[in-house]
Amino acid sequence: MARGSLQAGRYLWAIVTGLVIAALLFEPTWSWMVGVGVFFLAAGEFSGLWMLVSGYIMACTPAAFGLLIATGRFWLSLTHSLWIGAVYLVVGFLLLDRILGVLGGGL
């Protein structure tokens, strides 16, 4: 078997695994945790910080598993997933905030 096709198959399996983890398990949960955490922090409740951190960890998890399967390198997948999770978290929260604003009647 050619090494290139084996590597391509590994990357494809990583993408499928990351998407399944993100879509089925963590997407609704982390978006809820981040939204409620920000709401609690805005209300002066510091327990919202734990919810925000938990949501961030859940946003990092699919990227960590996908990169670990694709590269096989633990520390590389861990450090890269922290950046990917941060971007994913911010973009997801802004999109969620925008959607809720439109549903609430304000643009």
Side-chain angles (χ1 to χ4, degrees), residues 14-81:
I15 290 170
V16 167
T17 302
L19 287 175
V20 166
I21 290 171
L24 296 178
L25 299 176
F26 291 120
E27 187 75 33
T29 307
W30 78 253
S31 60
W32 182 84
M33 294 285 273
V34 169
V36 172
V38 169
F39 175 75
F40 276 15
L41 285 173
E45 292 286 332
F46 286 107
S47 61
L49 185 61
W50 290 107
M51 297 180 101
L52 193 61
V53 169
S54 300
Y56 173 67
I57 291 170
M58 284 189 243
C60 294
T61 302
F65 277 107
L67 285 168
L68 185 61
I69 291 170
T71 63
R73 297 170 58 192
F74 177 76
W75 291 111
L76 176 94
S77 65
L78 182 67
T79 55
H80 280 59
S81 70

Side-chain angles (χ1 to χ4, degrees), residues 85-106:
V87 170
Y88 188 44
L89 183 84
V90 169
V91 170
F93 180 73
L94 292 176
L95 182 64
L96 181 67
D97 185 50
R98 190 69 176 164
I99 290 170
L100 291 175
V102 168
L103 291 176

